[in-house]
Amino acid sequence: MEHVNKQHYSIKKQDRTQINKHKPCLIWFTGLSGSGKSTIANLLEKELYSQNIHTYTLDGDNLRRGLNKDLSFTKKDRIENLRRTAEVGKLLLDAGLVVIAAFITPYNKTREDIKAIIGEPFYIEVFVNTPLEVCEQRDVKGLYKKARAGEIKNFTGISDPFEVPLSPTIEIQTLKESPEEAVSRILEVLKGRL
């Protein structure tokens, strides 16, 4: 970009990593609304915190109340929402944190773009695989009911597709394992990365 130069600072990511006593990474949860992403992400953060791991969780609803409140739910704006979130995640990685992100992230291309922004060595993709009918039964926020009634347009799983991840780092099948079991499996993956 013209007239924009990267500012270089004395303290680097490796310095923050050393003081934190763990490596940074981004754990990106993807899956349908109501699949259990936020529940598992919250449990994971609590467990990492108990191990003195410095974390921060980025959540779609929370970011849409501030940083991304200017965005709608069109496909273009949903992709921009995720791009901005990935850029924030990248900054938090530079701070040396373990970042947890819980977003529907319905498109394979978008997930690949996020991985490119973050850098593959720092990116862990967790697919929370819950059947649509189970997500609809849960419908904690009443969103599926509104989508079926035509009150919400471009709703993933109803009027907009969810593309199953091609090669997630880990797949959680919520009908076969509890959130606690899912966290244990994710922690196993993290052992060699932190």
Side-chain angles (χ1 to χ4, degrees), residues 58-168:
L58 299 170
D59 182 83
D61 286 345
N62 294 345
L63 284 177
R64 281 202 175 262
R65 298 170 69 89
L67 178 68
N68 295 335
K69 69 181 177 182
D70 62 318
L71 299 174
S72 70
F73 287 90
T74 64
K75 182 175 182 176
K76 179 182 175 188
D77 278 3
R78 291 166 75 203
I79 291 169
E80 176 60 13
N81 174 51
L82 296 167
R83 186 199 67 78
R84 288 182 191 178
T85 301
E87 292 290 353
V88 170
K90 184 177 179 180
L91 292 171
L92 293 173
L93 287 181
D94 193 52
L97 302 179
V98 171
V99 182
I100 300 166
F103 289 80
I104 294 169
T105 327
Y107 311 117
N108 283 315
K109 166 102 172 61
T110 306
R111 290 189 287 265
E112 286 301 313
D113 291 345
I114 292 165
K115 187 190 298 184
I117 290 168
I118 296 302
E120 190 167 349
F122 302 102
Y123 180 79
I124 298 168
E125 186 174 289
V126 179
F127 172 34
V128 182
N129 187 352
T130 304
L132 175 62
E133 57 273 13
V134 174
C135 294
E136 282 196 76
Q137 288 167 5
R138 293 176 182 169
D139 206 9
V140 179
K141 301 173 188 174
L143 300 175
Y144 284 101
K145 185 177 179 182
K146 289 179 181 178
R148 291 280 185 201
E151 296 173 37
I152 301 176
K153 306 292 182 211
N154 308 312
F155 192 77
T156 304
I158 305 300
S159 54
D160 202 55
F162 180 85
E163 298 172 2
V164 173
L166 301 174
S167 56

